[in-house]
């Protein structure tokens, strides 16, 4: 498969799963737009590495995923610079762990904005071009938490269930235009997002770091192994292939058996 002459925009791709997806799509020949926060010099290093390693063009856009207008502008800028946005990956996400009665209202609003509304704004902006060109791939990084819940993650679980619903709706609307819309639902992937929630989970549940890793995180995964970012990226690449053109509206688990229980 080749994605040469296609452009992929991956939100939240300065780190973790998003960076792995951006690199995997670039490896297939796609020009990529990366997005996310972080140290400017480190982001520039990753951007330049994608260009030299894969011989594609790579741009960085620092749009804040809580800002709908900035998201629309990012899509328009990418279309202007590269001619199209053919693959949209809604991946940016944050987590906050706290009992619901203590859950900070601003964290609820921020998680809903970044983990759910940002995908709506990006799909809304990218769909017209995809429809006109009669080809497109929209992929959102959902989570096992789009299918099942865990305590202390009310905003995250609500937002990820929302992504599953948004995926189905957009898939139906775009089905006759050669545009597929799917979400990928990983179990625990070892990234900064998982590492950073360990201290709060220790506090919320009164556990040690090792207990959180083994008894909370890997407890959910029958394989007792973390999923890797590269495994998630391979699934995203597959969804961009012609072989996957009849997969739409799906929520694909990659969770070591978590949601089979
Ligand atoms: P990560 O923390 O490594 O990466 C998150 C990315 O989102 C970073 O690039 C960050 O800069 C960006 N981001 C955060 N807030 C932003 C904002 N306001 N505007 C723009 N970018 C912003 O996390 P990750 O584990 O790679 O998570 C990526 C996605 O995968 C998230 O949607 C997450 O919910 C989902 N996910 C992760 C796991 C896991 O175990 N790590 C499991 C299931 C789903």
């Amino acid at each position: 498969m080749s994605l040469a002459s296609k452009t992929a925009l991956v939100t939240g791709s300065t780190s973790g799963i998003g960076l792995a997806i951006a690199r995997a799509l670039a490896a297939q020949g796609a020009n990529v737009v990366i997005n996310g926060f972080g140290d400017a010099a480190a982001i520039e290093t990753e951007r330049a590495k994608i260009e030299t390693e894969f011989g594609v063009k790579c741009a960085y856009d620092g749009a804040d995923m809580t800002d709908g207008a900035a998201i629309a502008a990012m899509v328009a800028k990418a279309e202007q610079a590269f001619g199209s946005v053919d693959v949209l990956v809604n991946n940016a996400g944050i987590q906050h762990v706290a009992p619901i009665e203590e859950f900070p209202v601003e964290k609820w609003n921020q998680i809903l904005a970044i983990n759910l509304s940002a995908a709506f704004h990006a799909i809304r902006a990218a769909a017209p071009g995809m429809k006109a060109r009669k080809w497109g791939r929209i992929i959102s990084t959902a989570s096992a938490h789009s299918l099942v819940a865990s305590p202390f993650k009310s905003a995250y679980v609500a937002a990820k269930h929302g992504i599953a619903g948004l995926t189905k709706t957009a898939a139906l609307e775009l089905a006759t235009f050669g545009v597929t819309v799917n979400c990928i639902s990983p179990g625990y992937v070892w990234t900064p997002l998982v590492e950073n929630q360990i201290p709060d989970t220790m506090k919320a549940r009164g556990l040690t770091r090792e207990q959180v890793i083994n008894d909370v995180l890997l407890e959910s995964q029958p394989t007792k192994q973390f999923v890797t970012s590269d495994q998630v990226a391979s699934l995203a690449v597959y969804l961009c292939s012609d072989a996957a053109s009849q997969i739409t509206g799906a929520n694909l688990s990659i969770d070591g058996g978590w949601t089979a229980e």
Side-chain angles (χ1 to χ4, degrees):
M1 184 194 57
S2 168
L3 292 174
S5 85
K6 300 258 193 283
T7 299
L9 190 164
V10 186
T11 72
S13 47
T14 52
S15 166
I17 295 168
L19 181 58
I21 293 176
R23 289 177 51 79
L25 295 174
Q28 299 299 320
N31 293 323
V32 291
V33 179
I34 58 170
N35 157 264
F37 296 154
D39 174 67
I43 293 171
E44 173 53 24
T45 302
E46 287 296 348
R47 189 204 63 76
K49 215 162 87 181
I50 288 173
E51 289 200 333
T52 49
E53 221 172 298
F54 304 115
V56 299
K57 287 190 212 133
C58 179
Y60 166 69
D61 192 309
D64 184 340
M65 293 299 108
T66 62
D67 181 344
I71 295 167
M74 173 177 69
V75 171
K77 213 166 101 186
E79 284 178 335
Q80 225 167 18
F82 294 125
S84 59
V85 171
D86 308 286
V87 178
L88 167 68
V89 183
N90 299 304
N91 172 79
I94 59 164
Q95 175 64 285
H96 187 79
V97 181
I100 196 160
E101 66 274 22
E102 291 165 21
F103 209 91
V105 172
E106 67 274 18
K107 278 286 168 202
W108 169 273
N109 289 334
Q110 198 186 10
I111 290 175
L112 268 286
I114 297 170
N115 295 18
L116 176 58
S117 299
F120 158 72
H121 291 295
I123 293 170
R124 185 174 184 276
M130 291 180 179
K131 279 170 86 169
R133 288 184 299 274
K134 297 251 183 284
W135 198 92
R137 294 287 188 267
I138 298 172
I139 301 163
S140 298
T141 312
S143 164
H145 284 122
S146 74
L147 297 161
V148 295
S150 298
F152 313 121
K153 296 183 176 177
S154 53
Y156 189 88
V157 170
K160 294 298 186 181
H161 275 66
I163 281 287
L166 175 65
T167 296
K168 289 182 195 175
T169 309
L172 294 180
E173 292 185 27
L174 299 172
T176 56
F177 294 92
V179 179
T180 68
V181 189
N182 295 289
C183 58
I184 296 177
S185 284
Y188 284 106
V189 187
W190 189 257
T191 68
L193 181 141
V194 165
E195 210 168 351
N196 293 340
Q197 69 186 271
I198 291 174
D200 283 345
T201 307
M202 287 165 63
K203 210 170 100 193
R205 296 188 185 233
L207 299 174
T208 65
R209 181 181 163 83
E210 287 62 39
Q211 284 171 323
V212 170
I213 291 174
N214 295 314
D215 303 343
V216 179
L217 303 179
L218 291 180
E219 165 63 22
S220 318
Q221 275 175 213
T223 57
K224 300 297 168 207
Q225 289 177 26
F226 285 98
V227 180
T228 70
S229 293
D230 287 341
Q231 289 169 339
V232 178
S234 297
L235 184 51
V237 167
Y238 171 69
L239 286 172
C240 292
S241 71
D242 288 340
S245 66
Q246 291 305 313
I247 301 178
T248 195
N251 185 349
L252 301 164
S253 292
I254 173 164
D255 64 4
W258 176 348
T259 52
E261 290 195 301

